[in-house]
Amino acid sequence: MEFWRRAANPWGQDVLIGIAWDLMWAAVIVGVVFVAGHALYVKLLTPKQQPEAQIDAGPSAAGIPERIVRHTGAARAFHWLMSVAMFVLLITAFFPVVGIQFPWVTIHWIAGLGLLLTVLYHIWHSIVKQDVWSMWIDMKELKEGTRELGRFLKRSGESRAKAGKYPLDHKLYHHAIAVVTTLAIVTGLLMMFRVDTPLWARNPYILSDQLWGVVYVVHGISGVALITLVMAHVYFAVRPEKWWITLSMINGFIGRKDYLEHHDPERWAVKDGTPTAVSGTPGSAPLREGIPQNKRSHH
Amino acid sequence: MAVMRDMIPAFELFQPASVEEAVALLDQHGDDSWVLAGGLDSFDWFKDRIKRPKAVVDLGGVERLRGIRSAEDGIEIGAMTTLTEVASHSDIRESYGLLAAAANQVATPQIRNQGTLGGNVSQDTRCWYYRSGWPCYRADGNICYASAPNAMNREHCIFGANRCVAVNQSDTAGALIALDAQMVVQNAKRERIISADDFFIGPGTDITRMTVLRPGDLLTAIRIPSTWAGADFFWEKVEDRKSWDFALVSVARTMRVTNGTIAQSRVVVNGVAPYPMRLDAVEAAVRGQPVSEETAQVGGEAAVRRAKTLRHNDYKVPLMRNLVRRALRGEAA
Amino acid sequence: MALIGQNIIPPDLVAKVTGRAKFAEDFRAEGMVFAKLLLSPMPHARVRSVDAAEALAMPGVLGILRADELPEVNPQSEAALTDEPLYEGEPVLAVAAVDETTAADAVERIKVDFEPLPFVLDPLQSLHPKGPNARTEGNYFFRSREGSEFRTHKWTEEDFAAAGEGRLPMGEPLSEWTVGDTDAGLADADLVLDETLVHQTLTHHPMEPRSAMAYWQNGKLYIHTSTQSTAQTQAGVARALDLEMDNVVLIGEYCGGGFGSKIRGSTIQVVPALLSRKIGRPVMLRITRYEESYIGRSRPGFQARVKMGFRSDGRATAIDLYIVEDGGAYGSGDFGTAGAVASLSYQPLNMRLRGVSLYTNTPPRSAQRGPGGAQIVGMLEPIIDKAARELGIDRLELRRINAPDNDGWVGPNRGALTSAYVREALDQGKEQFGWEEKSRLSGQRNGTKVTGVGIGLSPFVGGSSGYDGLVVLRPDGKLYIHQGIGNLGTHSIADTARAAADVLGLPWERCEVVWGDTSKHLPWTSIQAGSQTTHAHTRANHAAAMDARRKLQEIAARELGGSPRDYVTSGGNIHHRSNRSQRMTFGYAARRAIQLGGRYDGHELADDLNAMTVASAQALAGEGLIGAAKDTYSHEGGTWSFVVGFALVELDVETGHVDLKEYTAVADCGRVLHPRSLAAQLHGGGVQGMGIARSQKWVFDPKWGVSFAKRFYTARPPGILDVPLEMQWGAVGIPDPQTPVGAKGIGEPPVGAGSAAIASAISDALGGQCLCRTPLTTDVILAALEGREQPYGPLEIHV
């Protein structure tokens, strides 16, 4: 397998010019293997879930509304806009590679700018309007996460851990995609110096050959990584046991049952259907929606 | 690897006698194959050792690819017919003089004797960055050197740039589009008929190719329908030297005039975009208009609207505008 | 003179047109192998290491030659191979293999680690206070008797700022001369023009690249090389390889053009010689067009500024010329000649020349047909037109007013001329071209085409003196004229030989020209360059034939009685002036000379002959009557020839295309040696000049310092369709009084005439607008016509 594409520059120097497209196929294969492996594993080897009724009737259900808002309209709009941009980017990036040819460059960079705008909005929104710390991963979660993974792999009984607003795997996924997307966007913006856009004049020489090589490789790697990440994301979104989450990204809320089953009210306190304190980080949470609350206040 | 030029490296040469054989060879060797017609583009690449195909399929022995035949509607020109034959053929001169005029101005008499119509339309661009073997977009790299702020891009495009700013430099391409020619493309699976207008592609679609031809494809013939037979034609090529030069800008125009007004026309300009550029806007602007200086002015302006120049090629804007004007004035080819 | 002035068929013609003529790359020797060069991919670099193991292990690869295996050269001089390439395309090493494709494959497999170094393409950039230098040691080479060294020359920011937009800055020059008081001359002028000019650099591109084949036998080097000269090239090869002249046999009978780039062959020609010595096989190095574009030499480009002052009556009061010259990787300085030519053309009352020539990381420069002259003439003539328009004086008349005559002067020392019949040439051209009626067409518009009429006056040096002639009258009654000059296509080998034939009154059929092979015993001669040979070798052959004639007269007197002075030659006989039957044939006289020996058959020779001539004459001694003499004829003042070109163009105002419709060239080159050959020079050189003015290019990418005009189709020298099928010519034909035959050289001035006449005609068609740069391509012209921004900046070069 080839990892990199190299070329002789005009002075005959060997320079990196990007990733080899073998890596794209590798990413697809990794995605397929993961999805198929996970699906088979779950289907054949994982024990059945605890019956639903037990949870719903559990003692902690008291005072929890029927519907709990998980994603505000703005957050959902962001998610779907971002996903559209992402799909457009992936399609325009990789379809021509596999032989489906069309003028893709303009669509690609416009979609890239779209992605950048949604990401900027998301950053602003999550800092100003949401509790940015709800995405924080603390040591406790990590330890729990490790135990959960162990349990999953050893098939030693059902999950016992319950998450805050966002489960650990979601956070990890978010952070992975955040890093990869940021790299793709930053390198993509630089790459716009190599094509005609209204943003700035073309100048392929703003970076040295060597640096450009790094930019292209980073863009390429983040691009193919996004293939795998998106495959995994879509896969989980369509898994029946995750529909409640998928649905929440469509209609905004989750049911009490799902809340109680998957979330730890200590980490994601809910009052009147409105999420309140959400932070996993002691003493750090700027609380929102004008409700002064101790993070333990619900209890 | 040190650079070596002007010395053709070894390759396997195949000399099929039939189209079937040629197509089978191209199919067998796929990406490693190279179609050799007159050799005027090919040998430049080979000499510079930049394109290094393993299997060269020389069409020189395929008799069926040569010659000019009358077809059901119009004529059919074998892809291997030399430019001299095209330029001097009486039917072409009489009915499709536009093509004869364009073919007659390719390079030099020697090159026209050797160069073929198929080769002329399939030729690669002459962007000197690309031709120097630099790893540009067109060479599967990730950069366009010619559009850098101080690059030498006098010959490059003012339209249709998409990362790559090279131009199509075929003299006959514009004439064929103007004449509504059909390109007959054969590969191991099937024969396709592609209109000349669709035959040429831009870098947006595929930055490494100038035409729809992919490995395995063979352009076997070019059919010219009688649509424009005997119409009013205009051809002009502006070049730095009167021989052995590529067009800076060329214009091919067909026109039918009824009662002094332009009933129908086709205007194609080459040397301004990575593909021969049919000027739909101009055609639309002049349809139904009288043949006049005013119409020519309108058409000329419409032609260069939205042109985007590089550091050294601003002159192509007035040159193209003026040539289109001239074409619309109805001066003789 | 029976032969001088007549058309003849030169002795090499049939071989050339039938393809039988063997040029350097056509030779083969037993066991011959081929070499290929590895060229630098960078404009300036240092070779850190070379790994040739893989190449040397290939079957058929015989050896490699590195720069350190070459004889050492001065630090400022060019070697055939280098480990510090100073331009893209400079040869770094050579590989020999059994065939050329193997050698090429081997070169590809050599790994050279180049360390890129700072580079500069534009001398103005190097003049910037913080600008890069082309060489690590500096940007020019300072020469003086006290000591020569690399130095760095910079201008100040103020110098650059003072020039103003689009004007050549004029900081401290490296060279300067003044005649009179230029500032006062400009102050006194009624009209002063101040223009900034750019002349492109351009590769020589002769048809035949500089190929060479070499082998060694018994310590003697046999080298077949493409060269303009013969005797001087033998000396050059010997010097370059540190060999005795005796140990070099040079064969170069035909040369497919040189234009100044192969004066003593080429720098690269030592490579096959050294490789051959190393591997013990004959080695052929065929240079390709691509390689030729790099190592084939080029004419230096100028960025210049000129202030010219005129009195209202048209007399030039002053020329103040400042030239920044692009000296390329190894330096060049033909701007001095440019200054001299300007002074000669216009005889200004005052003149100053200032110049700077700096190294750049571009291919080496050398003289190119009319070096310095062709550039300055092409640049200044349209400005003379501009002055004529402003003064309301006819353009031809303005040139007439300022033209030199026999009392004219040239250069910083106001050197005298042997002759100058410029007004005669102008007047003859005026008639022949029909200047007055054609001038009336100037500016006339026909459809989209505008007519322009132009004129270009171009002087250039026309001859040297003091070389040797060597002739042998053999018992077969034929005169063998040994020519050490080369055969680069000018017919000089035949045309200058006729001076000897005419002295002896011998028909051409009984003359044999011996040339092109130093084993054939050639005399010491001038280089076949600088338009020298017509002058130098009609003189030298005249002298040798006079020596032979004296000996014939003495032998006749001795045999037939009377005084030697009583005998005259004609038709291959020598006879008594008053009694034709008192005669002997040349064949008989030759036999008698051999019998007499001593000075008659070359056993005794004059003291003033060059060692090479002596060696050749000694080798020929005893084979016939030998005439061997040094040219000691008087030669006071500089010998200059002049060509006036007249052009009529049609300029298409919609496309910027220029169609050259008519061209006439009229020469003052003294007595006409050979009309057909003169026409070939006037038109051939003229066409070369037209290419300079209109199309020929030298293009570099500024970021990478890499050349693009390395093919004919990108370099764009003119084609035959770019010039009129019929071009006219004429010659004043007044013999130069300072040379026995009266002929002056004519190889070079036609170039400037062609270039200037076209530039002048284009400017005329543009209504007097001087675009002040070459080449005047469609884009430049169209931008001017359309009032759009010029495609190139006013000082931008290598575009």
Side-chain angles (χ1 to χ4, degrees):
Chain A
M1 190 175 98
E2 294 272 321
F3 286 92
W4 319 119
R5 285 191 299 142
R6 311 193 67 94
N9 77 358
W11 282 353
Q13 297 163 310
D14 184 49
V15 291
L16 199 56
I17 61 165
I19 59 159
W21 298 123
D22 288 359
L23 285 180
M24 175 194 74
W25 294 112
V28 171
I29 291 165
V30 168
V32 167
V33 166
F34 174 78
V35 166
H38 185 275
L40 282 172
Y41 191 84
V42 170
K43 188 167 177 65
L44 303 175
L45 300 171
T46 315
K48 286 272 179 279
Q49 296 276 315
Q50 201 179 6
E52 291 170 17
Q54 283 178 9
I55 293 167
D56 204 18
S60 50
I64 302 299
E66 206 49 43
R67 289 179 167 189
I68 297 140
V69 174
R70 193 172 194 262
H71 301 292
T72 61
R76 279 176 282 148
F78 153 73
H79 173 270
W80 291 114
L81 281 174
M82 189 187 83
S83 63
V84 167
M86 185 63 75
F87 275 105
V88 171
L89 282 162
L90 290 176
I91 287 167
T92 50
F94 295 110
F95 275 30
V97 177
V98 301
I100 301 165
Q101 291 179 325
F102 58 94
W104 59 272
V105 178
T106 308
I107 309 173
H108 190 78
W109 67 253
I110 290 172
L113 289 185
L115 180 69
L116 173 62
L117 289 178
T118 58
V119 166
L120 289 175
Y121 168 79
H122 173 61
I123 291 169
W124 171 79
H125 187 252
S126 51
I127 290 173
V128 177
K129 298 276 178 172
Q130 289 183 308
D131 175 12
V132 74
W133 292 107
S134 64
M135 290 304 291
W136 183 261
I137 300 170
D138 62 19
M139 283 309 290
K140 189 175 156 215
E141 262 184 300
L142 274 180
K143 281 177 191 154
E144 272 177 18
T146 319
R147 279 199 299 276
E148 281 294 301
L149 186 64
R151 261 196 291 278
F152 178 73
L153 292 175
K154 289 183 204 144
R155 288 164 278 146
S156 56
E158 88 238 31
S159 162
R160 279 182 221 141
K162 289 187 179 177
K165 183 176 178 186
Y166 302 111
L168 177 63
D169 51 352
H170 288 209
K171 289 186 192 177
L172 286 171
Y173 180 85
H174 171 273
H175 296 335
I177 211 154
V179 168
V180 168
T181 306
T182 305
L183 289 174
I185 289 175
V186 170
T187 52
L189 283 172
L190 285 170
M191 287 158 78
M192 285 173 67
F193 275 99
R194 291 205 161 187
V195 298
D196 277 321
T197 65
L199 291 194
W200 37 64
R202 266 209 225 195
N203 187 351
Y205 299 140
I206 52 161
L207 301 177
S208 70
D209 276 357
Q210 277 72 18
L211 271 179
W212 272 121
V214 172
V215 167
Y216 273 79
V217 163
V218 169
H219 196 76
I221 288 178
S222 40
V224 298
L226 283 167
I227 296 181
T228 314
L229 288 169
V230 167
M231 283 173 79
H233 185 67
V234 171
Y235 163 71
F236 283 116
V238 300
R239 278 200 68 83
E241 75 270 19
K242 306 281 185 190
W243 282 354
W244 63 278
I245 299 176
T246 312
L247 274 172
S248 77
M249 192 46 86
I250 297 166
N251 56 28
F253 56 83
I254 58 173
R256 182 172 59 194
K257 180 178 67 98
D258 292 319
Y259 174 73
L260 292 171
E261 187 183 343
H262 300 287
H263 294 276
D264 178 356
E266 284 198 21
R267 293 184 189 167
W268 185 24
V270 167
K271 188 182 177 184
D272 304 330
T274 312
T276 54
V278 275
S279 175
T281 307
S284 66
L287 298 181
R288 41 174 292 271
E289 292 169 5
I291 306 167
Q293 270 178 311
N294 181 290
K295 75 187 182 83
R296 298 282 176 191
S297 67
H298 190 65
H299 295 275
Chain B
M1 197 170 89
V3 168
M4 172 54 58
R5 299 280 185 250
D6 273 356
M7 184 63 54
I8 298 181
F11 53 75
E12 203 172 347
L13 178 68
F14 296 91
Q15 297 186 301
S18 70
V19 170
E20 293 69 30
E21 234 182 294
V23 166
L25 282 163
L26 294 174
D27 189 53
Q28 184 191 335
H29 295 279
D31 284 343
D32 293 331
S33 68
W34 184 278
V35 177
L36 178 68
L40 294 151
D41 194 3
S42 304
F43 286 129
D44 268 10
W45 281 122
F46 298 172
K47 268 170 59 179
D48 283 349
R49 303 164 87 89
I50 296 168
K51 305 270 187 192
R52 302 177 91 138
K54 294 197 179 86
V56 173
V57 180
D58 171 15
L59 303 178
V62 185
E63 212 39 56
R64 212 188 89 197
L65 293 176
R66 292 188 181 280
I68 299 159
R69 306 166 276 271
S70 57
E72 247 172 75
D73 172 40
I75 53 162
E76 181 176 287
I77 307 167
M80 286 292 288
T81 309
T82 68
L83 293 162
T84 302
E85 289 171 82
V86 171
S88 53
H89 193 268
S90 59
D91 288 355
I92 294 179
R93 289 167 70 102
E94 239 164 64
S95 305
Y96 311 100
L98 181 62
L99 177 61
N104 200 39
Q105 228 177 320
V106 174
T108 64
Q110 293 91 329
I111 289 175
R112 294 195 290 273
N113 287 341
Q114 174 68 18
T116 66
L117 184 61
N120 190 262
V121 295
S122 311
Q123 68 181 298
D124 211 339
T125 181
R126 291 279 167 173
C127 166
W128 43 28
Y129 290 91
Y130 170 54
R131 288 272 176 176
S132 295
W134 295 14
C136 74
Y137 285 117
R138 193 166 283 284
D140 261 333
N142 59 15
I143 178 171
C144 172
Y145 296 98
S147 57
N150 292 313
M152 291 298 123
N153 44 34
R154 166 182 188 266
E155 277 98 34
H156 291 74
C157 72
I158 54 171
F159 285 101
N162 189 314
R163 294 161 293 156
C164 175
V165 296
V167 290
N168 184 301
Q169 278 154 315
S170 164
D171 286 332
T172 56
L176 289 173
I177 294 174
L179 290 168
D180 197 17
Q182 307 288 305
M183 321 300 267
V184 184
V185 176
Q186 175 86 50
N187 62 23
K189 292 194 191 80
R190 64 198 170 105
E191 185 183 89
R192 286 175 291 162
I193 311 291
I194 300 156
S195 87
D197 214 356
D198 298 331
F199 181 75
F200 302 96
I201 57 173
T205 308
D206 187 339
I207 205 156
T208 62
R209 293 182 294 136
M210 305 287 291
T211 68
V212 297
L213 297 176
R214 308 186 59 119
D217 286 341
L218 183 66
L219 174 67
T220 58
I222 292 149
R223 291 178 190 154
I224 303 179
S226 61
T227 321
W228 292 98
D232 184 68
F233 298 129
F234 180 89
W235 161 256
E236 187 164 349
K237 169 184 180 180
V238 174
E239 53 198 330
D240 284 316
R241 303 188 294 173
K242 278 202 218 163
S243 63
W244 200 8
D245 217 338
F246 291 95
L248 296 169
V249 179
S250 69
V251 61
R253 190 272 288 141
T254 54
M255 194 188 273
R256 288 206 191 272
V257 178
T258 323
N259 301 327
T261 60
I262 300 170
Q264 265 185 305
S265 73
R266 275 196 174 203
V267 185
V268 188
V269 176
N270 211 359
V272 296
Y275 42 84
M277 200 173 147
R278 183 162 169 209
L279 306 180
D280 303 286
V282 173
E283 292 169 18
V286 303
R287 190 170 304 126
Q289 300 299 312
V291 178
S292 67
E293 184 58 34
E294 200 192 335
T295 304
Q297 297 284 337
V298 168
E301 291 307 325
V304 293
R305 214 162 280 146
R306 284 192 289 278
K308 192 170 182 307
T309 60
L310 300 164
R311 169 76 183 86
H312 294 295
N313 69 0
D314 175 77
Y315 76 100
K316 282 198 178 184
V317 175
L319 184 53
M320 173 174 169
R321 182 197 63 209
N322 294 350
L323 283 179
V324 169
R325 273 186 199 163
R326 249 189 226 202
L328 295 173
R329 273 183 213 135
E331 287 160 20
Chain C
M1 293 189 186
L3 290 170
I4 298 278
Q6 300 301 311
N7 284 328
I8 52 155
I9 291 173
D12 63 341
L13 186 84
V14 174
K16 271 186 183 164
V17 299
T18 56
R20 284 209 309 272
K22 277 195 167 193
F23 292 79
E25 74 162 65
D26 298 326
F27 288 91
R28 294 293 178 269
E30 175 95 34
M32 191 186 89
V33 300
F34 288 86
K36 289 300 283 180
L37 300 170
L38 186 152
L39 309 182
S40 169
M42 299 174 191
H44 189 191
R46 192 176 288 124
V47 173
R48 285 203 202 98
S49 67
V50 172
D51 175 4
E54 203 187 320
L56 289 169
M58 288 168 63
V61 175
L62 298 165
I64 176 175
L65 189 72
R66 294 281 311 275
D68 58 9
E69 298 172 75
L70 265 53
E72 223 168 287
V73 297
N74 296 327
Q76 79 278 16
S77 301
E78 182 190 12
L81 303 171
T82 179
D83 281 339
E84 190 190 324
L86 293 172
Y87 63 95
E88 185 240 348
E90 180 156 24
V92 171
L93 57 83
V95 176
V98 291
D99 58 54
E100 219 166 18
T101 47
T102 306
D105 289 346
V107 168
E108 269 187 339
R109 294 208 205 164
I110 293 176
K111 291 174 201 77
V112 184
D113 182 14
F114 289 101
E115 177 195 351
L117 297 173
F119 73 92
V120 64
L121 303 177
D122 181 342
L124 283 178
Q125 214 187 329
S126 195
L127 281 165
H128 264 285
K130 292 192 185 99
N133 296 332
R135 301 181 69 144
T136 42
E137 309 94 331
N139 61 6
Y140 78 104
F141 194 72
F142 173 79
R143 284 167 217 273
S144 84
R145 249 162 279 166
E146 291 73 46
S148 301
E149 60 182 2
F150 287 101
R151 286 189 183 175
T152 300
H153 187 62
K154 299 285 173 193
W155 289 348
T156 63
E157 291 290 359
E158 293 73 49
D159 291 331
F160 282 92
E165 191 63 29
R167 289 201 178 274
L168 183 76
M170 297 190 287
E172 197 195 333
L174 287 175
S175 156
E176 178 168 1
W177 59 258
T178 306
V179 169
D181 183 338
T182 312
D183 291 330
L186 289 171
D188 290 347
D190 297 312
L191 169 72
V192 176
L193 298 175
D194 178 354
E195 302 283 351
T196 289
L197 315 148
V198 167
H199 193 286
Q200 87 269 42
T201 300
L202 48 139
T203 309
H204 290 59
H205 276 313
M207 286 301 289
E208 184 200 12
R210 55 211 59 238
S211 299
M213 190 270 274
Y215 57 94
W216 299 76
Q217 280 177 1
N218 298 334
K220 213 173 208 187
L221 171 68
Y222 291 79
I223 183 163
H224 299 258
T225 190
S226 179
T227 178
Q228 294 178 209
S229 314
T230 308
Q232 294 265 1
T233 305
Q234 181 191 19
V237 170
R239 248 194 328 271
L241 293 170
D242 205 11
L243 296 169
E244 294 296 319
M245 278 272 271
D246 283 1
N247 284 332
V248 176
V249 176
L250 181 126
I251 301 101
E253 292 158 295
Y254 296 92
C255 174
F259 309 124
S261 72
K262 301 175 185 166
I263 293 177
R264 292 184 180 86
S266 55
T267 309
I268 204 73
Q269 69 198 0
V270 301
V271 166
L274 292 168
L275 253 179
S276 171
R277 186 156 69 184
K278 185 172 180 182
I279 64 171
R281 309 264 296 258
V283 174
M284 167 72 82
L285 177 67
R286 299 200 307 159
I287 297 301
T288 71
R289 180 57 49 193
Y290 176 87
E291 291 162 336
E292 182 72 16
S293 80
Y294 293 111
I295 65 174
R297 316 292 102 170
S298 45
R299 180 192 294 278
F302 290 171
Q303 289 148 307
R305 187 154 166 195
V306 65
K307 288 182 198 155
M308 288 182 92
F310 296 88
R311 282 198 315 241
S312 57
D313 64 2
R315 186 71 181 97
T317 59
I319 297 178
D320 188 4
L321 182 59
Y322 200 119
I323 297 175
V324 175
E325 181 172 273
D326 182 348
Y330 291 95
S332 173
D334 66 15
F335 72 84
T337 313
V341 166
S343 72
L344 178 55
S345 278
Y346 312 116
Q347 302 285 293
L349 301 174
N350 306 279
M351 175 161 175
R352 173 165 58 181
L353 172 74
R354 288 173 289 173
V356 174
S357 177
L358 295 184
Y359 291 127
T360 59
N361 297 102
T362 57
R365 307 303 199 276
S366 79
Q368 184 184 104
R369 205 169 184 183
Q375 290 101 305
I376 203 66
V377 162
M379 292 158 85
L380 293 187
E381 284 289 273
I383 296 170
I384 298 294
D385 285 355
K386 199 169 181 176
R389 271 191 191 83
E390 302 219 359
L391 294 166
I393 298 174
D394 175 74
R395 292 186 283 151
L396 188 143
E397 190 52 34
L398 187 62
R399 287 167 174 87
R400 230 181 157 280
I401 289 166
N402 292 298
D405 55 22
N406 287 341
D407 298 324
W409 61 277
V410 60
N413 305 319
R414 297 185 61 100
L417 310 174
T418 57
S419 67
Y421 300 104
V422 183
R423 293 205 177 91
E424 290 78 355
L426 284 163
D427 293 345
Q428 189 173 328
K430 187 178 178 179
E431 284 304 307
Q432 198 171 343
F433 178 70
W435 172 257
E436 281 186 9
E437 75 189 76
K438 298 273 164 61
S439 290
R440 282 195 286 275
L441 299 175
S442 158
Q444 275 192 15
R445 188 152 168 176
N446 178 14
T448 61
K449 296 196 169 156
V450 179
T451 300
V453 181
I455 179 169
L457 167 61
S458 174
F460 209 74
V461 290
S464 58
S465 55
Y467 293 93
D468 296 343
L470 177 62
V471 298
V472 186
L473 192 56
R474 290 180 181 263
D476 62 4
K478 282 188 171 178
L479 182 70
Y480 293 78
I481 304 141
H482 290 238
Q483 294 275 47
I485 57 175
N487 182 23
L488 79 164
T490 60
H491 303 164
S492 303
I493 49 152
D495 291 346
T496 64
R498 295 192 299 171
D502 270 353
V503 165
L504 295 174
L506 203 58
W508 187 236
E509 298 72 40
R510 289 181 58 182
C511 296
E512 295 287 343
V513 180
V514 180
W515 89 92
D517 182 341
T518 61
S519 68
K520 291 179 177 169
H521 316 302
L522 309 177
W524 179 243
T525 60
S526 75
I527 48 172
Q528 176 85 17
S531 304
Q532 293 182 55
T533 48
T534 289
H535 186 265
H537 288 282
T538 50
R539 292 166 68 105
N541 286 324
H542 193 279
M546 289 299 280
D547 183 46
R549 193 166 83 178
R550 274 191 301 274
K551 287 169 183 167
L552 279 169
Q553 286 170 322
E554 284 173 25
I555 290 167
R558 186 190 278 258
E559 287 271 312
L560 307 169
S563 154
R565 269 173 305 164
D566 295 337
Y567 288 88
V568 292
T569 55
S570 86
N573 296 304
I574 181 155
H575 58 81
H576 197 274
R577 198 181 300 276
S578 50
N579 180 3
R580 288 187 77 94
S581 63
Q582 203 172 324
R583 68 176 183 102
M584 64 172 72
T585 63
F586 280 6
Y588 179 80
R591 282 194 293 280
R592 283 298 294 142
I594 295 166
Q595 285 159 5
L596 288 166
R599 59 195 187 85
Y600 294 108
D601 73 345
H603 280 100
E604 283 169 32
L605 295 160
D607 297 335
D608 59 355
L609 292 174
N610 178 281
M612 180 179 180
T613 316
V614 170
S616 293
Q618 283 170 344
L620 293 164
E623 296 191 12
L625 186 151
I626 297 222
K630 180 183 163 98
D631 154 26
T632 54
Y633 298 116
S634 77
H635 183 195
E636 305 280 320
T639 301
W640 289 77
S641 289
F642 301 83
V643 175
V644 191
F646 295 85
L648 185 144
V649 302
E650 282 181 2
L651 190 155
D652 191 318
V653 296
E654 287 190 331
T655 63
H657 181 77
V658 172
D659 212 352
L660 175 62
K661 306 302 274 189
E662 289 179 38
Y663 183 72
T664 300
V666 176
D668 162 30
C669 55
R671 186 189 298 281
V672 176
L673 269 189
H674 183 175
R676 204 151 51 200
S677 184
L678 174 59
Q681 288 302 311
L682 291 174
H683 293 157
V687 170
Q688 204 162 11
M690 294 163 198
I692 294 174
R694 293 177 64 194
S695 62
Q696 200 167 338
K697 290 220 152 198
W698 165 278
V699 185
F700 278 76
D701 181 78
K703 162 76 179 172
W704 298 95
V706 164
S707 153
F708 289 132
K710 52 203 176 198
R711 303 286 186 200
F712 273 139
Y713 85 89
T714 48
R716 296 190 169 102
I720 196 67
L721 296 183
D722 296 309
V723 298
L725 201 57
E726 294 281 336
M727 292 188 281
Q728 309 304 316
W729 69 277
V732 175
I734 303 172
D736 185 274
Q738 293 264 354
T739 183
V741 173
K744 302 191 280 188
I746 195 59
E748 295 171 277
V751 179
S755 170
I758 297 269
S760 160
I762 291 172
S763 159
D764 184 45
L766 288 169
Q769 190 178 359
C770 174
L771 296 176
C772 295
R773 76 177 300 133
T774 60
L776 291 165
T777 41
T778 298
D779 48 346
V780 172
I781 294 171
L782 192 59
L785 285 162
E786 295 272 344
R788 297 175 85 103
E789 198 194 337
Q790 277 291 318
Y792 315 108
L795 288 164
E796 210 175 341
I797 55 170
H798 306 334
V799 293

